[in-house]
Amino acid sequence: QRESLLKGGDSGEAAVVPGDPMKSRLMHLVLLPRDHDDAMPPSGKEALTPEEVVLLANWIHAGAPM
């Protein structure tokens, strides 16, 4: 849900900052090395493809419409 994405979680940082992918915690977590403890998706799950990362960044840049 959009409200959950926009408010800070345990980190206190918003998962998504509409219009600014590089200030969005979700992008930070997706771009971490796969062996990092905080990397998303978590270990055991398939990593996003480069194309999916671009789609995610574009979606956030567009304001994260639902």
Side-chain angles (χ1 to χ4, degrees):
Q1 293 188 6
R2 185 174 173 86
E3 184 178 313
S4 298
L5 289 173
L6 300 179
K7 79 180 198 186
D10 294 339
S11 70
E13 296 178 60
V16 172
V17 177
D20 197 339
M22 297 319 292
K23 286 188 179 175
S24 299
R25 183 155 174 80
L26 180 58
M27 284 301 302
H28 171 76
L29 297 174
V30 165
L31 295 173
L32 285 173
R34 294 296 298 148
D35 61 348
H36 192 283
D37 288 341
D38 294 332
M40 290 297 286
S43 63
K45 303 283 183 174
E46 196 169 323
L48 297 181
T49 65
E51 293 81 11
E52 290 169 327
V53 173
V54 169
L55 283 172
L56 179 61
N58 288 340
W59 174 71
I60 295 170
H61 183 72
M66 296 302 244

